Amino acid sequence: MISSTVVISLILITVIIFTFIGIVYSKGKIENIDDYLTARGSTGSQRLTATFLASFIGVFILFTPPEAGAIGGIATIIGYAFGAASLYFAFSILSPKVRAYLPEGSTISDYALKRYGSKMYVLTILLSIFYMLVHLIAELTAIAQVAFQMAEVPLVYTALLVGAATMIYTTYGGLKASMFTDAIQMVLIIVLTLTVAAGVLYYSGGMGEIIRQTQVNRPDLLDIGNIGGIEYGLTLCIGVFAANLFHQGYWQRIYSGKNDAAIKKSLIACILVVLPIMFITGFIGIASAGMGIGDNPSVALFALVYELFPTGLIIAAFILALVLVMSTVDTLLNAMVATFAIKRKKENKSMLSLQKARWMTVILIIISVFIASRGYSVLTLFLVADLVCAGVFIPLFFGLYSPKLRENTAVLGAVLGVASGVPFFIQNKLFIAFLIPIFVSAGICILGNKFAPLEAAEEMKEMEEMKAL
């Protein structure tokens, strides 16, 4: 067993390195709130690719895809992987329209305010904050639990060290520091992921041995036609797609791109990278369950690592987890602050000063560290957030394609969409619970658009012209 002193030392060294890098890089680069929250128009395709990926591939990649593989097998992994890829495809379609509609924006809530009004704006803000706060707590909770399993390090120690260090460089350097460290972290993520995958193959006896044992112990995991696995995979596909459209960190990065061409190029590259990463980590879950290692699917990867790996590779896997957490936590912190940066309609300036934005970051991390140190399960909260996002995303983005859609119709579609999924959610029929809100909300928007007064589009155009003046 690795000692707690070694684990704490690893945490300290890792967080100190990235804190130092973030502060040094961003020194003198933050002059105003826009630099802090958007880094507008300053980022090329290569760095965008790295920061998009690092922001998405948090420590959940070591838990959720392996868990999906251990429960539903190859069919579930396929659905989950393509759900992640479809998210980047959706951004490639939506981002040029959002940027063209609102060039001065920084988050999707800014778009909601301009396109619809205060009701949809508040709904978008509340949903985004809830989802991102749950995500932040989940990341800190996960890494704290890994350290506890390795060396019984108290949860609060790990959550505090990782949260505080990330807060320091994010508070100082804002989005620019977050994006720069993301680029470095992404390189480490790829190297360490491949190292862990190679270690699993080597110490388990190779791919043939894994498949042989899985065919004996859990043949259902290798069945691509497994109905339960397909349903679970589609559920995860909808959840990851809908929820992450409300991840304000992605929209900040959309606005940081130099132009639409750079953004599209980076998003295509993300699809090509995220698919194999999801398949690799998901297959490790299949290997864990198929070889009968570990009873809890939620920690399938680490159960396999602890069982098979020598100490050096166990440490490498833990460093990978640390880097994954920091790459996601800095994104979430800055994104939540950006969401609170409400715009003055006349002056088009943020009401949140740079100093207040930094204090907001401190407050958010304190709350998150406290909750993470309790070791609560956040799965239910994640599922609730996914359900709400599934009912809201179509009404929100429908307005990009229809000038006739009004705010009341969009809000009605969102509310009824979410409500339609609740009965199935309570019965734990998650696939139906996530699917029904999409059809209900879309149907209401289509009907509302069809029967909207003919002058609605002209009124919308006049309102936009008045706003521009």
Side-chain angles (χ1 to χ4, degrees), residues 226-249:
N226 180 1
I227 299 300
I230 293 173
E231 184 175 306
Y232 188 30
L234 290 173
T235 301
L236 293 174
C237 179
I238 295 172
V240 71
F241 175 84
N244 281 282
L245 286 174
F246 291 86
H247 192 319
Q248 304 285 28

Side-chain angles (χ1 to χ4, degrees), residues 133-186:
L133 186 60
V134 170
H135 197 163
L136 178 58
I137 293 168
E139 293 285 319
L140 293 175
T141 301
I143 193 60
Q145 290 177 340
V146 170
F148 182 79
Q149 289 177 358
M150 284 182 64
E152 296 186 352
V153 177
L155 299 180
V156 67
Y157 289 4
T158 306
L160 184 59
L161 287 173
V162 175
T166 310
M167 176 200 68
I168 289 170
Y169 74 76
T170 306
T171 300
Y172 182 81
L175 185 63
K176 289 187 177 182
S178 172
M179 292 176 65
F180 182 72
T181 54
D182 279 351
I184 300 172
Q185 288 159 343
M186 194 58 220

Side-chain angles (χ1 to χ4, degrees), residues 189-207 210 280-281 283-284 301 304-305 308-310 313 316-317 320:
I189 288 168
I190 292 175
V191 172
L192 290 172
T193 300
L194 293 176
T195 300
V196 170
V200 169
L201 288 176
Y202 179 79
Y203 290 103
S204 64
M207 182 69 75
I210 293 174
I280 288 171
T281 54
F283 184 78
I284 291 174
L301 184 145
L304 197 64
V305 166
L308 300 178
F309 283 17
L313 278 180
L320 169 61

Side-chain angles (χ1 to χ4, degrees), residues 77-92:
I77 294 172
I78 291 173
Y80 203 2
F82 279 96
S86 67
L87 173 67
Y88 291 114
F89 179 76
F91 274 113
S92 71

Side-chain angles (χ1 to χ4, degrees), residues 20 46 48 80 123 158 231 246 427 460:
F20 177 78
Q46 291 184 348
L48 271 178
Y80 203 2
L123 178 61
T158 306
E231 184 175 306
F246 291 86
Q427 298 175 51
M460 181 66 68

